[in-house]
Amino acid sequence: MTISRRVFLKNGGFALVSLGFAPSFLARTAFAASSGRKQLITIFQRGAVDGLSVIVPHGEADYFRARPAIAVARPGQGESAAINLDGFFGLNPRLAGLKPLWDQRTLAVVHACGSPDATRSHFDAQDYMESGTPGVKSTGDGWLNRYLQAREAEHGEAARRSARATRDGAGITAENGRSANAFQAVALSAQLPRALQGPAPALAMSGVERFGVSGPVANAFESEYAQAADRVLNGVGREAFDAMKTLKQAAPSQYRAENGARYPRTAFGQALQQIAQLCKSDVGLEIAFAEISGWDTHVNQGSTQGQLATRLTDFGDSLAALVTDLGERMAETVILTMSEFGRAVAENGNRGTDHGHGNAMLVIGGNVRGGHVYGRWPGLAAHQRYEGRDLAITTGFRDVFGEVVVRHLGLTDAARVFPGYQVSPARFPGVLPA
């Protein structure tokens, strides 16, 4: 039986959108161990989460005046009150699972953060944030993909010299100098997100258990690879197949979270659990992406009860489980959350909030300078609001992204990652040590 690459891709059950080299990636995949590799896990809250209900400015009187029905109460006013962080800001009580991270100084907040573009369109704002080029619709790739490209360029020449010295037939090395690895960037989503689209290798998979070859075709596929690896695929068929088998062995039905972590049985919770699986499987994961929707709360938003509260419980409990599960691996990991824009300061006539501007981002990691809310607070009085209605932005999202890329992932020059923008440490919020 002859198994063609087309049959393999059809039966593989995973998304190959923007792999950049699909399907020929099979001839270049190496099963790369992480070995101290820095990891970035990005979380997109699609729909524009209300940052003022996530990180509550309880020290701001105008917050309560603007939201008579949906404001989160000041700390000390019962079980539904905000959890005090620093005397001015508080955590929504539905995010109580994240408070220990704050106390351990591994959770930082960047408030009044967002895009300089004024759009209130979900589609445009998400596109601008994921492309990393606010106001520019013609950008072809995403900021995370450009990071991967820039990383390869920075390490290219030295790694090429290493490749020439170590090319001995035991494995295969990419022409750009680093180990070619189809699993370096993975999104736990049905489609490859905009942020990961581009020429650098990236995968989207709806579930780890769906990655690979299963059913009657599997045995024939493995046999075919054993016979044709050297002749057709330059000796790497076995490495590619071994990587798939490793992921199969780490299937959700067999996986057990560590350190007492308990993931919610939700789509988001299970996505984060599978990210933890990939981190622990040592398949060379560097960038992971997950998303959670349902934040567009125009009607009956609530504060600590209702639709927003339900989403926050899922969000906070899932993040807390991921951090607990990864344990010591968090020393080399940063989790970064984002949303396309915030909500208006004042509640609307339907006890909800309309599209806004500034928002809050969370940064979690063992090396994060946590226990602090970063960014200049602009105030919520009518004359302090953006266009008289929204939280003003004092920190651009590219400065947060740039700091993570430079100070965590170790990129020397981030100019290629954010074209048309001068990345300057002077504008970094300071969530990571210089």
Side-chain angles (χ1 to χ4, degrees), residues 39-43 272 275 279 288-289 322 326 333-336:
Q39 293 178 320
L40 171 63
I41 301 171
T42 54
I43 311 293
L272 295 197
I275 285 175
C279 291
F289 182 100
L322 175 63
L326 289 180
T333 302
V334 162
I335 302 171
L336 176 64

Side-chain angles (χ1 to χ4, degrees), residues 40-42 144 148 181-189 191-193 196 201-208 211 247 274-275 278 283-290:
L40 171 63
I41 301 171
T42 54
L144 288 172
L148 294 170
N181 177 24
F183 307 105
Q184 66 179 346
V186 177
L188 266 296
S189 57
Q191 297 180 334
L192 198 70
L196 280 173
L203 284 172
M205 61 176 78
S206 56
V208 172
F211 186 91
L247 292 182
Q274 292 184 69
I275 285 175
L278 290 170
V283 293
L285 180 69
E286 184 173 359
I287 305 293
F289 182 100

Side-chain angles (χ1 to χ4, degrees), residues 105-423:
R105 299 189 179 277
T106 56
L107 164 65
V109 176
V110 184
H111 221 321
C113 181
S115 171
D117 190 83
T119 184
R120 300 184 193 280
S121 160
H122 291 295
F123 178 82
D124 288 343
Q126 289 180 30
D127 184 80
Y128 294 155
M129 182 165 279
E130 293 194 73
S131 69
T133 55
V136 180
K137 293 187 177 182
S138 59
T139 306
D141 46 12
W143 75 277
L144 288 172
N145 198 282
R146 287 198 302 277
Y147 156 71
L148 294 170
Q149 298 172 52
R151 189 272 317 271
E152 297 299 334
E154 282 197 357
H155 294 86
E157 185 53 42
R160 274 194 294 271
R161 290 196 297 268
S162 175
R164 287 192 293 269
T166 60
R167 199 181 296 267
D168 59 1
I172 190 162
T173 306
E175 292 179 0
N176 57 21
R178 290 177 64 97
S179 295
N181 177 24
F183 307 105
Q184 66 179 346
V186 177
L188 266 296
S189 57
Q191 297 180 334
L192 198 70
R194 180 78 167 86
L196 280 173
Q197 291 178 16
L203 284 172
M205 61 176 78
S206 56
V208 172
E209 77 282 359
R210 296 183 178 90
F211 186 91
V213 180
S214 60
V217 73
N219 291 335
F221 176 81
E222 183 173 10
S223 175
E224 183 75 9
Y225 255 27
Q227 297 176 30
D230 292 327
R231 176 171 48 86
V232 179
L233 297 176
N234 300 320
V236 297
R238 178 64 59 185
E239 286 83 354
F241 198 80
D242 285 346
M244 295 170 200
K245 288 198 296 186
T246 297
L247 292 182
K248 183 178 180 181
Q249 291 168 359
S253 61
Q254 302 171 1
Y255 180 75
R256 296 293 180 269
E258 297 180 304
N259 308 313
R262 300 181 66 178
Y263 291 92
R265 300 298 298 177
T266 61
F268 182 62
Q270 295 307 293
L272 295 197
Q273 177 174 301
Q274 292 184 69
I275 285 175
Q277 287 181 260
L278 290 170
C279 291
K280 295 177 184 181
S281 296
D282 289 336
V283 293
L285 180 69
E286 184 173 359
I287 305 293
F289 182 100
E291 56 192 24
I292 176 172
S293 58
W295 304 103
D296 199 14
T297 50
H298 288 279
V299 179
N300 295 326
Q301 174 175 306
S303 56
T304 59
Q305 300 292 328
Q307 59 173 325
L308 176 64
T310 299
R311 304 310 292 144
L312 288 176
T313 298
D314 185 11
F315 177 72
D317 289 354
S318 297
L319 282 177
L322 175 63
V323 174
T324 300
D325 192 5
L326 289 180
E328 293 181 355
R329 290 176 182 262
M330 285 301 301
E332 302 296 329
T333 302
V334 162
I335 302 171
L336 176 64
T337 76
M338 64 199 74
S339 193
E340 63 263 36
F341 46 69
R343 317 295 298 185
V345 173
E347 65 183 61
N348 60 28
N350 296 313
R351 295 192 174 187
T353 51
D354 297 322
H355 297 175
H357 198 48
N359 212 335
M361 300 175 70
L362 307 183
V363 189
I364 305 170
N367 200 35
V368 169
R369 298 170 63 197
H372 187 76
V373 178
Y374 292 86
R376 181 178 61 82
W377 183 248
L380 297 180
H383 71 279
Q384 295 171 318
R385 301 176 193 171
Y386 176 74
E387 296 184 344
R389 51 168 280 168
D390 302 327
L391 175 65
I393 289 172
T394 59
T395 301
F397 74 83
R398 286 174 293 188
D399 295 322
V400 183
F401 292 0
E403 181 170 5
V404 171
V405 164
V406 172
R407 292 182 174 173
H408 174 62
L409 296 176
L411 196 67
T412 303
D413 182 9
R416 183 175 176 180
V417 181
F418 306 102
Y421 186 73
Q422 184 177 0
V423 177

